[in-house]
Amino acid sequence: MVAVGALAPRVVEVGDGAGGPAPSGVLAGLGAAGREVLERLWDSLPVVWVPEGGRLVGQSLPLAALAAWFEALPAADRWALCRGAGVRPDWPASRLLAALGGRLCAERALAELGEPCPQVGRGADGAPIWPAGWRGSITHSRKRVAAVVGPVAQWQALGLDSEALLDPPAAAEVLAMCGCAAERARLAEPADRAWFGLRATLLFCAKEAWFKAFGDVAPEGFEALRVEGLPGTADRAPPADPEGLAGWCAVRFPGAPSARLREACAARWRVAGGELHLLLAAARRGR
């Protein structure tokens, strides 16, 4: 069992950068009035951490506010945004806003990191195509869209995920889908049943973030990954309200083809707004 707290003993929390970047990327065709309203919508990312000296910027938008803003725009502006983000205006609203909002968050983070052309492309499978020299991760949940971006020179991989906290029936389904035999047995222990929903949510979040971070070498199924450091013990009762609860966990891929990928990858998580938000970050060696 890995000592999760020792994986990242020196961290600093970082918030959103100040000041709005010049219009570019998705926003290039948007009118000034629409940009001014958007500037008031940016929200803090629930969880961002970096080893001291690292560079990582996170951005977030509440989906409800994003939807209201988008619907209030002139039709020409909505069309320009969709074209810039590589999405179709006739997509279902939830899919359109998730894709558009994710690109807006990613491009704002790139601009704040100093990228002169902060444009994120869209692959045939919908995956983001980052500008040379940068890597990042995008996520969306029922309540928000968010992105984190950092320089390739500092980060081997980044994975961000947000999920609504699972109730026990949904948690059981998710555990059966993504847990290995040992994880299913451990989470089913009677002494830890009170933590079941939170632990199953965290298990899924951590593995989903790992897949986002290492998609090009990912195994075929979630059960190949191992999550260590899940909260909850027999002698500690969970809080009545998990809001604000935070901690560390680690994800391993024991069957990975390289020793580097078999190492534990640290992840920071936090519960905010009834959702669990997790950032997994693998720094380059020597950091």
Side-chain angles (χ1 to χ4, degrees), residues 22 33 52 77 88-90 106 120 163 188 213 246 284:
E52 286 193 33
D77 279 357
R88 292 173 54 93
D90 58 351
V120 179
E163 303 289 342
R284 294 263 178 212

Side-chain angles (χ1 to χ4, degrees), residues 104-152:
L104 288 171
C105 290
E107 291 186 0
R108 183 180 175 92
L110 281 164
E112 294 194 9
L113 283 164
E115 167 57 39
C117 185
Q119 188 163 3
V120 179
R122 183 180 178 86
D125 60 352
I129 301 174
W130 302 97
W134 304 101
R135 81 168 12 106
S137 184
I138 298 173
T139 190
H140 70 274
S141 64
R142 297 174 186 172
K143 296 182 178 181
R144 70 175 61 241
V145 288
V148 291
V149 182
V152 169

Side-chain angles (χ1 to χ4, degrees), residues 246-265:
W248 294 91
C249 66
V251 185
R252 292 183 185 273
F253 179 13
S258 71
R260 175 61 168 148
L261 287 173
R262 290 193 292 271
E263 294 178 1
C265 191

Side-chain angles (χ1 to χ4, degrees), residues 74-95:
D77 279 357
R78 294 200 301 272
W79 177 263
L81 282 170
C82 290
R83 182 177 56 200
V87 303
R88 292 173 54 93
D90 58 351
W91 280 359
S94 58
R95 181 184 179 190

Side-chain angles (χ1 to χ4, degrees), residues 23 27 29-41 69 72-74 77:
L27 294 178
L30 184 64
R35 294 197 302 272
E36 289 175 6
V37 175
L38 180 63
E39 281 300 309
R40 299 195 290 269
L41 301 185
W69 169 77
L73 292 172
D77 279 357

